[in-house]
Amino acid sequence: MRGAFTRRTMASNQSTPLSDKRSVHLKSSTVREWMMFIVLVAIGAAGRWLFRDIPNFTPAAGVAVFAGLYFSTPALALLTPLAVMVVSNIGLQSYGNWGMLAVVYAALLFPVFLSRVLSQSESGRRRLRPTGMLACGVLPSMFFFLLTNFAVWFGGGLYAPTPTGLLNCYIQAIPFYHYTLISDLLFIGIAILSYELIVYFDRSNQTMAVEN
């Protein structure tokens, strides 16, 4: 009996450091993710303020793609572009009504979903293949264009409530679309490159820690 008790005590003492390490790693990961959340919101809001005179030229979609790849929890990833919009809308021109604001916010959640659906988990990190990178660069601007202009046609009263009116709405919005596309290609490209660099350096640090 005394020997069995001794073995259980030794096993318990051996497992405690492992549990402590896991707890410390979990806390460190959580702190790191919230720090990254703050950085992303700051970058997204500053970018919207900086480029406010250029229509539809914003880093919001790039921030959303990065959040979808980086954060382990979908809730935090989805919260990131919403927080960018809430913070940056302070001092910027209003959307006119709550319905249009809701549509814009919903459109900016699409890049988060897209990056998470198209990516695959490798060694605890999400990775995009080249086709996924291309899709993340092009599709968000198309989705934003189609959804927001449909909302303008549906509830704005500016165009006839007919298929011709909807077509005219999209035609009138084409001159603004290239701003969205260019900004998405630029900022989503920067976001994916930054994420890949983070993954690379994380793996390098882990390899060095194992070797030491």
Side-chain angles (χ1 to χ4, degrees), residues 48-176:
R48 290 198 71 215
W49 288 328
L50 181 63
F51 300 112
R52 62 183 179 275
D53 294 329
I54 306 176
N56 295 348
F57 196 88
T58 167
V63 169
V65 168
F66 186 97
L69 293 171
Y70 184 85
F71 294 119
S72 57
T73 58
L76 193 56
L78 293 170
L79 180 62
T80 303
L82 298 181
V84 168
M85 296 302 293
V86 170
V87 172
S88 61
N89 277 341
I90 300 173
L92 293 181
Q93 185 177 358
S94 172
Y95 290 100
N97 59 74
W98 288 102
M100 194 64 207
L101 183 143
V103 169
V104 172
Y105 279 36
L108 289 174
L109 295 179
F110 176 72
V112 178
F113 286 111
L114 187 66
S115 62
R116 294 186 77 86
V117 169
L118 296 180
S119 60
Q120 297 179 342
S121 181
E122 298 179 8
S123 302
R125 285 292 191 180
R126 292 184 172 276
R127 306 298 297 274
L128 283 169
R129 298 186 184 279
T131 52
M133 295 179 184
L134 179 62
C136 284
V138 175
L139 294 182
S141 60
M142 295 177 62
F143 183 82
F144 186 89
F145 176 84
L146 293 173
L147 182 62
T148 55
N149 285 290
F150 180 86
V152 169
W153 167 79
F154 185 80
L158 299 175
Y159 301 93
T162 62
T164 302
L166 176 60
L167 179 61
N168 187 37
C169 178
Y170 282 126
I171 291 174
Q172 294 298 319
I174 289 176
F176 300 97

